[in-house]
């Protein structure tokens, strides 16, 4: 079973700062997801990555398959970015039914101060 | 609007009283899943379903049941709830590879307290 580690666990930043959240996993995957959970509790899917880099607005996600590592970057951070960011990985497609099963990191709690 | 709808959002119940948390999606997704989220443990999978009448256990299935009689609905059943099932529960759905992708849509969550 994959072990997913996120760092840091908690992060406090000043508004406008560049933020990086890291995710490492132990065995090969078919895809990695970055999720955002706001204080109200709802979970939103931000990115799904199997290689390279994706960008959406001020958010950038990268993945290095060889190093089993992904990063989520937030440029020009804003208080509304305050949330818990969760990394989740999917097993390879040859896992059959198991390839749908996500393994989650414990999350990174981000607080952006005005 | 494409969404996963969970009900109820909040529920307080007593030990042993059977309850059902409903989950419905309007995106024709084949894959549906239930997770629980606990402080310090993160999200863990309870059960999942690949399609109608196809379900399987996740990491923490004990004390839970599911059914998938229709593609859109995937209820979570606690036949005899216990206090250790107090948690925040999420339902999610996803396209299958045959449907074109792996993106997940989550419901808004159900906060369950068992006293």
């Amino acid at each position: 079973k994959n072990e997913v580690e996120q760092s840091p666990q908690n992060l406090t930043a000043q508004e406008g700062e560049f933020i990086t959240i890291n995710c490492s996993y132990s065995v090969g995957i078919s895809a990695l997801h970055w999720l955002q959970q706001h204080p109200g509790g709802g979970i939103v899917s931000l990115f799904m990555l199997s290689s390279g880099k994706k960008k959406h607005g001020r958010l950038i996600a990268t993945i290095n398959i060889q190093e089993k590592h992904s990063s989520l970057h937030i440029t020009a951070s804003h208080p509304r970015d305050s949330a818990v960011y969760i990394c989740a990985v999917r097993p390879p497609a040859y896992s059959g039914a198991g390839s749908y099963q996500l393994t989650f990191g414990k999350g990174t709690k981000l607080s952006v101060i005005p | 609007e494409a969404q996963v709808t969970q009900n109820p959002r909040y529920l307080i119940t007593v030990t042993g009283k059977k309850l059902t948390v409903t989950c419905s999606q309007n995106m024709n997704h084949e894959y549906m899943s239930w997770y629980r989220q606990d402080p310090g443990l993160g999200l863990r999978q309870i059960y999942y379903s690949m399609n109608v009448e196809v379900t399987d256990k996740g990491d923490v299935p004990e004390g839970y049941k599911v059914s998938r009689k229709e593609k859109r609905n995937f209820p979570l059943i606690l036949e005899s709830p216990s206090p250790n099932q107090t948690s925040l529960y999420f339902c999610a759905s996803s396209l299958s590879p045959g449907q074109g992708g792996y993106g997940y849509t989550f419901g808004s969550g159900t906060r369950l307290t068992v006293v």
Side-chain angles (χ1 to χ4, degrees):
Chain A
K1 184 169 169 63
N2 226 325
E3 300 291 330
V4 181
E5 298 286 338
Q6 284 186 240
S7 64
Q9 283 188 305
N10 293 282
L11 180 56
T12 300
Q14 290 291 132
E15 183 173 355
E17 283 185 9
F18 181 86
I19 288 162
T20 296
I21 298 170
N22 296 298
C23 175
S24 297
Y25 52 92
S26 57
V27 301
I29 61 171
S30 62
L32 182 144
H33 297 257
W34 281 103
L35 310 172
Q36 180 190 55
Q37 186 173 25
H38 275 287
I43 297 174
V44 174
S45 181
L46 296 175
F47 294 104
M48 183 187 70
L49 296 159
S50 54
S51 64
K53 176 179 174 178
K54 287 189 176 180
K55 185 175 190 288
H56 182 69
R58 295 179 295 105
L59 301 178
I60 303 166
T62 64
I63 188 167
N64 185 320
I65 296 294
Q66 286 71 35
E67 295 189 4
K68 297 185 177 62
H69 180 269
S70 176
S71 293
L72 176 68
H73 306 287
I74 305 175
T75 62
S77 59
H78 189 277
R80 65 175 174 266
D81 297 325
S82 297
V84 175
Y85 293 84
I86 302 169
C87 168
V89 300
R90 296 182 57 142
Y94 58 72
S95 305
S99 68
Y100 283 87
Q101 294 179 254
L102 293 177
T103 301
F104 298 87
K106 291 189 169 55
T108 295
K109 184 175 181 180
L110 171 65
S111 300
V112 181
I113 299 169
Chain B
E1 180 190 352
Q3 60 186 358
V4 174
T5 303
Q6 273 182 248
N7 281 297
R9 288 293 308 274
Y10 301 92
L11 179 59
I12 301 174
T13 190
V14 296
T15 299
K17 185 176 180 182
K18 181 178 178 180
L19 66 91
T20 299
V21 184
T22 63
C23 175
S24 180
Q25 51 93 4
N26 61 0
M27 295 164 282
N28 199 37
H29 286 175
E30 290 184 346
Y31 179 82
M32 297 184 75
S33 184
W34 277 102
Y35 305 92
R36 62 178 288 174
Q37 186 178 37
D38 301 290
L41 297 176
L43 283 153
R44 294 176 292 167
Q45 188 172 44
I46 303 170
Y47 268 96
Y48 65 96
S49 170
M50 299 287 291
N51 213 326
V52 176
E53 302 292 1
V54 181
T55 64
D56 208 348
K57 297 176 182 178
D59 296 320
V60 288
E62 295 77 21
Y64 304 95
K65 283 177 58 177
V66 293
S67 68
R68 188 92 180 271
K69 293 184 171 56
E70 306 166 280
K71 198 171 188 179
R72 63 183 293 124
N73 296 322
F74 190 45
L76 179 70
I77 304 155
L78 286 73
E79 298 243 330
S80 183
S82 62
N84 65 12
Q85 293 178 296
T86 293
S87 187
L88 179 58
Y89 291 85
F90 288 97
C91 179
S93 71
S94 170
L95 293 166
S96 68
Q99 293 179 300
Y102 295 89
Y104 287 81
T105 303
F106 286 82
S108 301
T110 295
R111 189 167 293 280
L112 172 65
T113 303
V114 184
V115 298

